[in-house]
Structure formats: C-alpha cells, structure tokens
C-alpha cells in the first residue's frame, strides 16, 4: 500500500502535463483525489486490523537508494539552473553544499542497516491530513483556477503545471511522513521545498520570483541543517534512524534537525518566506503554506520532542516558538489583507505548536498534536473561503467583507466556522491552548506562560474584528453575485462539516488518535483528557448546536427596523452620507481598528527577527562548545 500512496499522486502529476482539456482535467482531479483518499482508508484499515502496532518496513532498499541519489542530484541541478537564470547565488551555495554532505556521507560512511519506513499513529494522522485535506484542496482548485484566471488575465494560464505540482507535493508528503531513515526523509523534504519554490513563482512577476527565491534559500538553510544532522549521526553514532536520534539524545544532531523544523514551519527569524508565499494562488497557500507543508516542520519537531525535554535544545526551540507565537499575533492585528492575516496567524499558531514540542512532555505534545489537527482543517477552510471571496468581491480586504452575511451568506458561514475554530469555545484550538498553558505553568517556564497568555489575547483581538465584519447587518448598496463554483463549495463544505464533527467528537478523537500518539512517543503515560467522555460530548453538543439554534430563533422573533442614524449633521437618507455644518456632503464609513503604529510589521519585524536570530546563534554556540555531540 505504501508504494501506492506515494506512486498514485506521482503518476497523476506526470499525467496532468498531457491533459490540456479543462473539463477532462477536472474529472481526473476528482478521480485522482478520490483514489488517494480510498487508498489511504484501505491502508489505515489494514493497519488497524493488523493490530495497530508500529510497523518497521523496508530494511533492504539498494535500488531505491540509488534512485534517490539521482533525485538529489537532479534537484540540485534544477536549483542551480533556475538560480543562474535569475542571478541568485545563495541558493546555489546552499544546495551544492548540502547535497555534497549527504552524498559524501552516503557513499563513505558505514552505518547499521535498519528499516527505512515506519507506520505508527502519528504517521496515520499525517496520512489522513495529507489525503483528505490535500485531496479536497485539489478539488477546490478545479473551480478556483477558472475564476483566478478570469480575474488575472495578465497571468499566463499554466494550470497543467499547477495541478502537477499539487499532486507531486502530495506524493512527497506521503513519502516524508512514512520515512524513518534520515536520508529518505531528507529526499522528500527537499522535494517539498522545491515544489513550494515553483508554486510561489507561479505568476512569474518580479515579486513572485523574489519571494520564491526567499522561500527557497530559507528552506535550503534548513535542508543544510538536516544534511549536517545526517553526517553527524552517521559518523559519530553509526546510524541514520530517526528513532535512534531520539534514543541517543545527542544535542548537536537534535539542534540541526530543529533548525530544519524551524525553517520549514516558518518560525522566526525565517517567517519572511511564508508571508511572501501569499503571492501564490490560494490553493498553494491552503495546501503548502498552511495545511500540509509547514506541518512537515512541526511533524519533525513532534517526532523528536521526547529528546528535547529539559535540555538546551528544547529551551531554544520552545523559546523561539513562544516568541514567534506572540510576535506574529501582534503583527496580525495591523493587517487588513485577509491572506496576510491568515499568514501571520499560521506563523503564530505554528509557533505555539513548536513551543509545545520544545517543552517535550506528554501534556504539551498532546496539545501540539491537537493544535496541528484543528489548524490544518481550519486554516485550509479559511484560505479557501478567502480565495472564493476574492473572486466574488474582487478584493480580499477585510473591510470589503462588511456584512458578507447579507451579501454572500454561504461564504460568510464557512468563513465564520473557520474563524470560530481558531479561537472560540468549544473548538479544539481553545482546549489545546488551555492544556498548553497548564503544562507551561507546571514546567515553571514563566516566559512561555506570558507568551501564551498575551499571544492568545492578541489572537482574540484580530479574529473578533474579522468575525464582527462578516456579521454586520446592513442594507447592501448593490447586489453581489456569488461566482463561487461547485468544486470550491464541495471542498469548503467538507472542511466545515469536518470542523464541526471534530468539535463534537473531540473526546473520541483524543482517546482514539491523540492519546495513542502520545503513548507511542513517550511510552506508558496517563491520558491527558481525564474528563468523562459523555459529559464532554454533551457540553460540545450544547455549545455547537443548541445555543446557536436558540439564538437564531430569538433573533428572528426580535423586532428589527433600520432607521437613519444621527451623524452630527443632516442625514442624506441612506446612513452613508450626511451634510456637515459647512454644507458639504460627507461620507460615513465604518472601519476596524488596526493599531498600525503599535503593532505594524514595520515596527515589530526587525526586532523580532533579531531576538530570534540571537537565541538561535547563541544556542548553536552553546551546543557546539559546551556539550557532548
């Protein structure tokens, strides 16, 4: 089944290059996504019926190893070619150095033979996210790209390439999360970096090209850290097994792998690349840069989290994660571009997951896994709804979404569920934050407690502003035609239903998925969710259904009359204009408070990058100079 999980999307990626008919391509996307989901379900069922034990697979893989070596060389040559074409030097240096390190290690150092792939509960969870979230984003893309090119006629239509990259990315992610050998993980890791680079530059504008190379060199820096970790483990410990990295607990390899995880998950001081990635079409933002690719970084950190408890590397990782959480939350307040809000929010939430991984105890990892689940679903849905709204309104400015509940109610409801999932009770993000806060308090880390407290407060501020804009009741100036296609709604409705079910079935998800992950990572442990399952589900049911239904009927029965409001002048009759004391017509408009001076990116970005870079550099110096490798 594993070759099918990786091979089916890879074959489809090649096939899309030859499908030029738009209708035929849509059918293939639906069929391909469906096959990937079905294959994943069969794979999971076979694993569970086989005892749900950890599978260690593929000890002998000489042919595949040679193919991956050729793949590494091809990726390096591709990066060199594109970098020379655009006059970029740094990506060439980073790519050549890390490829040379990996190839030299592979061909000159003898290591113990071991399994190259592993299946456990964390792998199963990641496969579900990749197959279902990724598959439905591909379906969404069928409708979205039609509207995208209708609104961006200056952008060359390269949809066959775009779909090829989406499905190739799914193949690479399956390979990454299923791999246990460090060289195999590195191979798939680099494929995701290159695909991200290619998709950010989709429009081929100067901004897109520059942003794509920024993403490339930052991710290649993390790849270099990964390559150094491979060389250290092979030369000093004679193994390339990820589990052995955790068991041995050597700090320098852990630090190098943590660097790779921090860059891939866009943590400070590497957050710039994810913000720049927002120039890509929305499906790229939803799949690569929010729901899946950046999860590869936190996935790696969760994998090694048991080895981070109480040591210097864990302190560095948790500090950078906590700093990223609060600084990105603060900068999100000053944004009115919806995709930028989502980008900063993504960086912020990933920071909280990273901080939990750095603490490295059962409670924080439990919270990290739950945050990862809810973030994947909610952010994918939000990016999709913002993309559909942009195609409908011609804008993604939050101010232009004023009263979206009146003009385009379906999009407003979907966006509202996504926003609620990020910070309101009873959704799992809030519960996970509570567990994380409790574990930070128990660990005695006062700084992280302050980070999560104030970071959560700023998070509530910008989500509430956005949600209130959607729910404003007003008489629209002119009707808005919803141009969102059925393909887009299929995906968005799936995400909305999934979010509600995750909330309602949260205790079952905790007991059936999250608790087993924590037990496998840490051995025998007590369950973090100690509350009665039935009691918790009853609370969820009341919160998510009964209260909103009651409020709906109460609001429908209430008397509502829109009358002209007093605006310190003569009202012109439509609540939009009034005559001031000088006899001039004034335009009245409502706007959110963005605090750009206090929380603007211009003021906070450089100090936050300096602080995070200082922590990282000092941390590397201490690890290299003061502890055992």
């Amino acid at each position: 089944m594993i070759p099918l999980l990786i091979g089916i999307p890879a074959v489809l990626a090649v096939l899309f290059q030859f499908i030029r008919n738009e209708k035929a391509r849509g059918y293939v996307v639906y069929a391909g996504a469906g096959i990937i989901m079905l294959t994943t379900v069969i794979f999971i069922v076979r694993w569970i019926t086989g005892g749900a034990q950890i599978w260690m697979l593929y000890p002998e893989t000489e042919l595949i190893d040679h193919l991956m070596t050729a793949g590494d060389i091809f990726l390096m040559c591709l990066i060199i070619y594109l970098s020379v074409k655009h006059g970029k030097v740094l990506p060439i240096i980073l790519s050549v150095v890390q490829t040379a390190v990996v190839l030299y290690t592979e061909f000159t150092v003898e290591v113990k033979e071991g399994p190259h792939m592993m299946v456990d509960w964390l792998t199963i969870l990641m496969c579900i996210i990749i197959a279902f979230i990724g598959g439905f984003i591909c379906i969404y893309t069928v409708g979205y790209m039609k509207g995208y090119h209708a609104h961006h006629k200056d952008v060359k239509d390269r949809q066959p390439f775009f779909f090829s990259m989406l499905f190739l990315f799914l193949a690479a992610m399956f390979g990454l999360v299923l791999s246990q050998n460090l060289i195999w993980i590195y191979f798939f890791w680099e494929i995701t970096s290159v695909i991200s680079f290619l998709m950010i530059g989709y429009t081929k504008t100067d901004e897109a090209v520059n942003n794509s190379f920024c993403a490339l060199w930052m991710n290649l820096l993390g790849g270099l850290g990964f390559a150094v970790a491979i060389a250290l483990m092979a030369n000093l410990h004679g193994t390339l097994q990820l589990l052995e990295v955790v068991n041995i607990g050597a700090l320098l390899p852990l630090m190098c792998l943590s660097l790779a995880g921090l860059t891939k998950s866009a943590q400070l001081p590497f957050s710039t690349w994810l913000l720049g990635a927002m120039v890509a079409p929305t499906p790229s933002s939803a799949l690569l840069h929010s729901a899946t690719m950046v999860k590869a970084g936190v996935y790696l950190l969760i994998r090694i989290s048991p080895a981070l408890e109480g040591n210097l590397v864990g302190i560095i990782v948790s500090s950078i994660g906590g700093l990223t959480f609060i600084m990105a939350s603060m900068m999100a307040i000053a944004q009115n571009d919806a995709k930028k809000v989502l980008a900063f929010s993504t960086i912020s939430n990933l920071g909280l997951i990273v901080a939990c991984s750095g603490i490295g105890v059962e409670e924080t990892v439990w919270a990290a896994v739950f945050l990862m689940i809810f973030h994947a679903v909610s952010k994918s849905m939000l990016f999709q709804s913002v993309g559909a709204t942009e195609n409908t309104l011609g804008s993604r400015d939050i101010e232009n979404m004023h009263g979206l509940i009146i003009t385009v109610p379906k999009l407003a409801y979907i966006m509202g569920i996504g926003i609620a999932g990020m910070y309101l009770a009873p959704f799992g993000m809030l519960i996970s934050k509570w567990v994380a806060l409790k574990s930070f308090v128990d660990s005695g880390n006062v700084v992280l407690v302050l980070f999560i407290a104030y970071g959560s407060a700023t998070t509530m501020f910008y989500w509430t502003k956005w949600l209130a804009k959607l729910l404003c009741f007003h008489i629209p100036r002119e009707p808005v035609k919803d141009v969102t296609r059925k393909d887009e709604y299929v995906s968005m409705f799936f995400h909305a239903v999934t979010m509600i079910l995750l909330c309602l079935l949260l205790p079952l998800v905790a007991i059936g998925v999250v608790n087993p992950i924590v037990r496998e990572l840490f051995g025998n442990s007590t369950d973090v969710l100690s509350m009665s399952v039935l009691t918790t589900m009853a609370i969820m049911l009341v919160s998510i259904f009964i209260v909103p239904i009651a409020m709906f009927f109460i609001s429908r029965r209430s008397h509502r009359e829109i009358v002209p409001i007093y605006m310190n002048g003569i009202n012109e009759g439509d609540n939009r204009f009034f005559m001031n004391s000088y006899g001039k017509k004034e335009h009245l408009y409502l706007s959110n408070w963005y605090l750009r001076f206090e929380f603007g990116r211009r003021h906070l970005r450089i100090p936050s990058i300096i602080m995070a870079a200082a922590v990282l550099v000092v941390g590397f110096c201490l690890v290299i100079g003061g502890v055992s490798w």
Side-chain angles (χ1 to χ4, degrees):
M1 297 302 296
I2 288 176
L4 290 178
L5 285 175
I6 301 171
I8 290 172
V11 170
L12 288 168
V14 175
L15 185 61
F16 280 117
Q17 289 298 314
F18 302 99
I19 303 176
R20 300 296 167 177
N21 181 274
E22 196 173 71
K23 195 170 184 179
R25 186 167 55 238
Y27 288 137
V28 175
V29 170
Y30 271 87
I35 292 171
I36 292 169
M37 294 178 206
L38 180 61
T39 306
T40 304
V41 170
I42 295 172
F43 170 68
I44 294 171
V45 169
R46 287 186 60 181
W47 181 73
I48 292 176
T49 54
Q53 301 296 316
I54 297 177
W55 288 358
M56 308 300 288
L57 308 168
Y58 300 108
E60 300 290 336
T61 57
E62 186 176 354
L63 176 60
I64 300 176
D65 290 339
H66 291 319
L67 292 175
M68 286 187 176
T69 299
D72 285 332
I73 295 171
F74 171 77
L75 291 175
M76 180 187 69
C77 293
L78 178 62
I79 291 170
I80 292 172
Y81 167 73
L82 293 172
S83 298
V84 170
K85 181 179 177 181
H86 293 280
K88 307 293 184 180
V89 177
L90 186 57
I92 297 175
I93 298 172
L94 291 172
S95 181
V96 170
V97 171
Q98 68 190 57
T99 305
V101 169
V102 171
L103 295 181
Y104 178 80
T105 302
E106 193 171 0
F107 287 113
T108 63
V109 183
E110 289 290 332
V111 296
K112 292 183 295 186
E113 290 295 330
H116 288 72
M117 286 193 157
M118 179 179 71
V119 181
D120 62 359
W121 276 107
L122 183 55
T123 303
I124 293 297
L125 173 61
M126 292 301 296
C127 286
I128 292 171
I129 292 174
I130 295 162
F132 286 89
I133 302 299
F136 274 99
I137 290 174
C138 291
I139 291 171
Y140 167 88
T141 308
V142 174
Y144 173 83
M145 291 305 285
K146 297 175 186 176
Y148 178 83
H149 283 288
H151 284 87
H152 300 83
K153 297 185 184 299
D154 55 324
V155 177
K156 183 181 178 181
D157 191 336
R158 298 191 293 144
Q159 289 190 57
F161 167 81
F162 195 83
F163 281 99
S164 290
M165 291 298 101
L166 287 180
F167 279 86
L168 184 59
F169 174 77
L170 294 181
M173 281 300 301
F174 275 122
L176 192 155
V177 300
L178 287 162
S179 294
Q180 157 69 14
N181 182 279
L182 289 176
I183 289 182
W184 280 37
I185 299 174
Y186 168 82
F187 172 70
F188 293 113
W189 187 277
E190 290 305 288
I191 291 177
T192 62
S193 297
V194 172
I195 292 174
S196 173
F197 158 70
L198 293 173
M199 294 189 75
I200 294 171
Y202 177 79
T203 62
K204 293 189 174 181
T205 62
D206 290 341
E207 181 186 15
V209 170
N210 289 332
N211 290 356
S212 67
F213 274 101
C214 176
L216 181 62
W217 79 256
M218 286 191 178
N219 278 285
L220 286 176
L221 184 63
L224 179 59
F226 209 124
V228 172
I230 290 172
L232 289 170
M233 288 303 298
N235 283 281
L236 300 180
H237 303 285
T239 181
L240 289 174
Q241 302 298 305
L242 183 58
L243 287 180
E244 288 299 313
V245 176
V246 177
N247 293 334
I248 293 170
L251 292 191
L252 189 54
L254 286 173
M255 190 68 206
C256 292
L257 289 176
S258 296
L259 173 64
L262 292 172
T263 55
K264 186 72 80 177
S265 55
Q267 298 299 282
L268 288 170
F270 311 109
S271 303
T272 307
W273 79 259
L274 183 61
L275 300 172
M278 295 302 109
V279 301
T282 294
S284 172
S285 301
L287 181 61
L288 276 72
H289 307 126
S290 184
T292 310
M293 178 182 136
V294 291
K295 296 297 186 298
V298 294
Y299 164 79
L300 177 62
L301 291 171
I302 289 172
R303 275 280 180 214
I304 65 174
S305 60
L308 303 181
E309 181 187 359
N311 60 38
L312 181 59
V313 178
I315 293 172
I316 294 165
V317 170
S318 59
S319 299
I320 290 178
L323 179 65
T324 302
F325 174 61
I326 188 170
M327 298 304 290
S329 291
M330 291 167 66
M331 286 186 274
I333 290 175
Q335 308 301 317
N336 60 299
D337 184 314
K339 280 187 77 171
K340 288 185 178 179
V341 173
L342 294 181
F344 277 110
S345 171
T346 297
I347 295 167
S348 173
N349 287 117
L350 292 174
L352 183 55
I353 299 173
V354 168
C356 291
S357 302
I359 294 294
V361 297
E362 285 96 330
E363 281 185 317
T364 57
V365 174
W366 189 95
V369 174
F370 241 117
L371 286 167
M372 186 170 67
I373 295 171
F374 273 87
H375 185 265
V377 178
S378 185
K379 275 297 168 60
S380 175
M381 177 167 54
L382 281 169
F383 269 110
Q384 291 177 63
S385 58
V386 167
T389 303
E390 182 181 10
N391 283 343
T392 296
L393 302 180
S395 168
R396 60 179 187 235
D397 191 324
I398 291 174
E399 295 303 312
N400 293 331
M401 297 179 191
H402 185 84
L404 196 69
I405 193 72
I406 304 296
T407 54
V408 194
K410 284 194 289 187
L411 286 178
Y413 281 121
I414 292 169
M415 201 178 294
I417 292 171
I419 292 173
M422 291 305 299
Y423 83 113
L424 290 179
F427 293 94
M429 291 289 285
L430 188 67
I431 295 171
S432 302
K433 286 182 180 179
W434 176 81
V435 173
L437 178 60
K438 180 179 180 298
S439 58
F440 290 164
V441 172
D442 292 342
S443 70
N445 195 320
V446 178
V447 175
L448 281 182
V449 171
L450 294 175
F451 280 164
I452 193 173
Y454 286 97
S456 297
T458 52
T459 297
M460 186 176 72
F461 187 53
Y462 63 75
W463 285 131
T464 302
K465 287 195 303 176
W466 190 345
L467 187 60
K469 267 291 175 184
L470 300 179
L471 302 180
C472 286
F473 187 86
H474 72 114
I475 300 175
R477 301 182 188 180
E478 54 189 32
V480 177
K481 182 181 178 182
D482 185 1
V483 299
T484 309
R485 290 168 169 80
K486 291 181 180 179
D487 312 290
E488 298 169 85
Y489 273 126
V490 166
S491 178
M492 289 188 287
F493 284 147
F494 165 79
H495 282 76
V497 171
T498 302
M499 176 60 72
I500 293 172
L501 289 177
L502 279 174
C503 174
L504 181 61
L505 304 177
L506 185 144
L508 299 182
V509 175
I511 293 170
V513 179
V514 182
N515 288 346
I517 290 174
V518 175
R519 281 195 292 270
E520 285 179 343
L521 289 172
F522 292 92
N524 294 325
S525 61
T526 57
D527 293 340
V528 174
L529 189 69
S530 58
M531 195 175 185
S532 165
V533 173
L534 292 178
T535 302
T536 308
M537 290 183 68
I539 294 172
M540 298 294 179
L541 181 64
V542 170
S543 301
I544 205 164
F545 287 119
I546 297 178
V547 173
I549 290 172
M551 292 305 297
F552 172 78
F553 283 109
I554 292 171
S555 63
R556 287 293 295 268
R557 291 176 61 86
S558 63
H559 178 70
R560 181 187 295 119
E561 182 179 355
I562 299 179
V563 298
I565 57 177
Y566 178 67
M567 294 177 285
N568 203 28
I570 302 173
N571 193 292
E572 292 292 304
D574 63 356
N575 284 338
R576 296 191 184 98
F577 295 93
F578 68 98
M579 197 72 70
N580 65 18
S581 56
Y582 292 98
K584 295 181 179 179
K585 196 174 185 180
E586 296 282 356
H587 181 210
L588 175 72
Y589 64 93
L590 299 175
S591 175
N592 272 317
W593 193 22
Y594 290 99
L595 298 168
R596 287 194 170 92
F597 179 79
E598 294 85 355
F599 297 119
R601 185 181 174 191
R602 193 184 328 173
H603 303 290
L604 297 182
R605 186 175 71 91
I606 299 300
S608 61
I609 288 175
I610 291 173
M611 284 189 286
V615 171
L616 202 57
V617 171
V618 171
F620 259 105
C621 292
L622 291 174
V623 170
I624 293 171
V627 297
S628 171
W629 291 10

